[in-house]
């Protein structure tokens, strides 16, 4: 399929800020119409501070998703501005400028969705970023041992590693009407990659998500995470991931993209120290499985000893673009 | 002269943020090429906090001048973003978002001039804003009684009202090469209106300003302030203002624009309480004098009892546009 035909395709990407970024970057080069539906239950960090002080929805993941829409030449400084982080200044240190821009727009417009529309307009971004719900919510984690905890930041601490039963939003919140509309109109819906409970399951946690998926004829693509995460998906296989997503959206996924590229030993051992491993592929007999080499090589060169291992391994936007183009172009 | 001819004209406006804004707004509608050269010696406020914490040039006046370039329809949200002021948030309260954006760009580019170029690019602004010098400076005030004081914010406090001999920059600083170039190429140079010592004289205080004016064939227009200011120009007549400017730039001004519109009694009495009065016109025999009705009526309706009198009386951009168009179109 050539670019002119792809132009007309509407693609929805669902997840959190970090995972969604390489997908949208890749999709931009396919010239499709992109809407990203982003989880808004993060807490802690710059986002958490702003959220607590202003009472607005947290904007960290939305900012990352916006920045991913400003990836082409000439938009370099827009992306740099959105992602800039203050390293000094009393009260400013640790804040992302993009978060402050979105907070100002939330304050002026009174709505996160409206703030994003204005940001897309001011920065001439092609594509739209939609908060999964318009309500201010927290992530509620239900563990298999029957206990519960509230706050997405809990999942950042490996001391809190317990098997998760499911997550929900508190207070219970409706799906954003803009998200519902985007899902209804989509030709393709891509879920993932991203933190499984903190981003993906959180983004499809709002009430009405099943109804929205029932309304759409879109083909659904699930991009499997590369690694498990101790606090969220320890010991979960590819099938475990897939089935939980399908249960939440009330529908079967049409394609599952899974990495087939070997992960270097040094990276593996680094993850293994935290009890984290490649997601085991138990879907080889599943006809929906699409195996592809999709690991970013850039990360390996980064001197990972200094950074947390969370930044070690990422999906590569160019490689994702290739496999997505094959699926969408079918 | 029609708009097509005016298109080619290069106009430089010199001053501070607040005074320059209505001039550039007016000029924008004439379709001329606008460069504003802005004083960068402000201290105190959001600007001062950032300046102290980051060590960069203060950006408050630069932000206002940038925002004035985003005046047309469709740029409303760019202007709103640049002028937005945080009303809450620990460490954020009192900061202007535009200041934070410029600070981030200063940090990323290492230069205020470069930061402004990037801001103009990101926000698609037509026209350029140039800091009068690229060095980090303070305003030094020399009083007629022989004493000196350092810091522009000193001029904000009526308790510090003493007759000023002159102002200079400390440490001594060279004119910004971009400013020199803009002056050399200009067809018209407009000085004022604005705080006489804190903005106008500060903007032309850098070393090399006389050399820059010697290099240009531009016609020079001086827009006289409407009122005196207790801490700066108490008892100074129009001629006093004019002669000090001419001495600083080493050249005669070609046109002096002076308000001829009556100022309402209630406004006058409000100013009079602080010992401030309309600038006395002692230039009636000067052939360079251009009298025009240039007061903004909007301010009168603003419920001035709540605001400081500094915001009471402003020049009107439409009216300035008219008189400037007559001069430039000659």
């Amino acid at each position: 399929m050539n670019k002119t035909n792809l132009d007309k395709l509407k693609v929805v990407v669902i997840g959190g800020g970090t995972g969604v970024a390489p997908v949208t970057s890749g999709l931009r080069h396919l010239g499709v119409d992109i809407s990203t539906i982003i989880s808004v239950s993060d807490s802690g960090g710059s986002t958490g501070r702003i959220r607590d002080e202003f009472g607005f929805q947290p904007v960290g993941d939305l900012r990352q998703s916006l920045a991913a829409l400003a990836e082409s030449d000439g938009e370099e400084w827009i992306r740099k501005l959105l992602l800039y982080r203050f390293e000094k200044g009393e009260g400013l240190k640790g804040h992302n400028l993009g978060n402050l821009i979105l907070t100002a727009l939330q304050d002026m417009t009174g709505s996160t969705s409206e703030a994003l529309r204005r940001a897309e307009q001011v920065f001439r971004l092609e594509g739209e970023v939609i908060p999964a719900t318009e309500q201010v919510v927290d992530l509620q984690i239900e563990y298999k041992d029957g206990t519960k905890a509230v706050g997405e930041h809990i999942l950042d601490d490996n001391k809190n590693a317990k098997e998760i039963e499911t997550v929900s939003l508190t207070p219970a919140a409706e799906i954003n009407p803009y998200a519902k509309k985007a899902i209804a109109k989509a030709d393709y819906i891509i879920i993932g990659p991203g933190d499984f409970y903190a981003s993906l399951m959180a983004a499809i946690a709002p009430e009405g998500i099943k109804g929205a998926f029932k309304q759409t004829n879109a083909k659904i693509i699930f991009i499997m995470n590369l690694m498990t995460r101790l606090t969220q998906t320890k010991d979960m296989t590819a099938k475990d991931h897939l089935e939980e997503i399908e249960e939440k959206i009330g529908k079967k996924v049409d394609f599952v993209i899974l990495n087939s590229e070997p992960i270097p030993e040094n990276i593996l051992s680094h993850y293994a120290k935290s009890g984290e491993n490649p997601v085991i592929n138990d879907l080889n007999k599943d006809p929906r499985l699409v195996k592809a080499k999709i690991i970013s090589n850039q990360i390996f060169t980064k001197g990972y000893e200094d950074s947390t291992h969370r930044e070690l391994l990422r999906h590569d936007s160019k490689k994702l673009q290739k496999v997505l183009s094959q699926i969408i172009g079918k």
Side-chain angles (χ1 to χ4, degrees), chain A:
Chain A
M1 191 177 273
N2 61 30
K3 195 176 161 174
T4 316
N5 289 332
L6 286 175
D7 265 350
K8 293 164 196 159
L9 288 179
K10 292 188 194 311
V11 181
V12 165
V13 187
I14 300 179
T18 314
V20 153
V23 182
T24 53
S25 302
L27 285 173
R28 287 200 78 207
H29 295 95
L30 297 180
V32 297
D33 197 21
I34 306 170
S35 300
T36 55
I37 298 174
I38 303 297
S39 58
V40 282
S41 49
D42 43 324
S43 48
S46 157
T47 295
R49 271 158 70 192
I50 294 175
R51 175 197 165 130
D52 294 344
E53 290 173 340
F54 288 83
F56 302 144
Q57 288 191 310
V59 292
D61 286 73
L62 303 170
R63 161 186 53 84
Q64 285 185 294
S65 309
L66 270 184
L69 292 176
E71 279 284 340
S72 65
D73 305 339
E75 292 169 358
E76 182 198 356
W77 281 94
I78 294 172
R79 190 167 42 80
K80 281 186 179 175
L81 259 193
L82 289 172
L83 298 180
Y84 176 84
R85 192 182 167 93
F86 286 98
E87 296 298 345
K88 49 183 154 178
E90 198 192 328
L92 290 178
K93 192 176 172 181
H95 275 310
N96 283 96
L97 183 62
N99 288 356
L100 301 182
I101 290 172
L102 285 174
T103 301
L105 287 168
Q106 283 175 316
D107 192 23
M108 285 189 275
T109 63
S111 142
T112 308
S113 296
E114 181 69 8
L116 288 160
R117 292 296 84 72
R118 293 303 175 187
E120 288 152 19
Q121 178 193 339
V122 163
F123 296 112
R124 316 179 286 297
L125 301 177
E126 285 176 31
E128 55 176 0
V129 176
I130 304 169
T133 177
E134 289 193 311
Q135 291 161 250
V136 178
V137 291
D138 261 306
L139 193 70
Q140 175 167 278
I141 306 134
E142 295 169 41
Y143 294 101
K144 288 202 167 150
D145 66 8
T147 59
K148 289 181 183 182
V150 171
E152 194 196 289
H153 62 277
I154 288 167
L155 300 175
D156 288 332
D157 188 347
N158 278 359
K159 275 179 272 170
N160 302 324
K162 289 197 292 182
E163 271 192 280
I164 293 172
E165 177 65 35
T166 191
V167 291
S168 59
L169 303 179
T170 178
E174 277 293 317
I175 185 172
N176 187 339
Y178 289 103
K180 204 170 170 178
K181 207 165 145 187
I183 289 171
K185 285 186 179 176
D187 298 297
Y188 288 89
I189 297 170
I190 301 171
I191 302 172
D195 269 351
F196 190 70
Y197 289 106
S199 295
L200 307 192
M201 293 291 278
I204 54 178
E207 289 175 10
I209 194 80
K210 281 184 184 161
F213 271 86
K214 205 172 270 178
Q215 300 276 319
T216 188
N217 294 317
K219 296 282 182 193
I220 303 165
I221 302 168
F222 178 46
I223 305 179
M224 189 68 65
N225 284 346
L226 303 169
M227 306 293 292
T228 60
R229 187 164 175 192
L230 187 68
T231 56
Q232 297 185 47
T233 54
K234 184 178 185 324
D235 298 332
M236 277 174 67
T237 67
K239 202 175 170 191
D240 294 336
H241 285 76
L242 178 63
E243 285 175 355
E244 283 214 39
I245 293 286
E246 289 180 332
E247 196 190 318
K248 203 84 169 181
I249 62 174
K251 219 172 189 177
K252 287 281 176 192
V253 160
D254 298 283
F255 303 94
V256 182
I257 299 177
L258 200 136
N259 174 53
S260 63
E261 194 167 359
I263 300 168
E265 277 303 325
N266 55 344
I267 304 286
L268 285 178
S269 69
H270 205 79
Y271 273 92
K273 281 178 203 157
S274 312
E276 300 183 342
N277 299 291
V279 173
I280 288 169
N281 172 19
D282 52 354
L283 293 172
N284 266 331
K285 290 184 183 158
D286 194 315
R288 301 172 297 171
L289 184 66
V290 181
K291 286 165 88 173
K293 293 179 169 151
I294 47 179
I295 293 177
S296 170
N297 300 316
Q298 273 192 306
I299 311 299
F300 303 158
T301 65
K302 245 192 173 178
Y304 57 84
E305 290 297 342
D306 294 341
S307 58
T308 71
H309 73 274
R310 302 235 40 79
E311 287 162 6
L312 266 186
L313 204 56
R314 290 270 175 92
H315 286 82
D316 181 83
S317 70
K318 286 278 166 205
K319 293 176 183 174
L320 282 176
Q321 177 189 333
K322 196 177 159 196
V323 61
L324 287 170
S325 144
Q326 284 161 359
I327 293 173
I328 292 175
K330 264 179 191 169

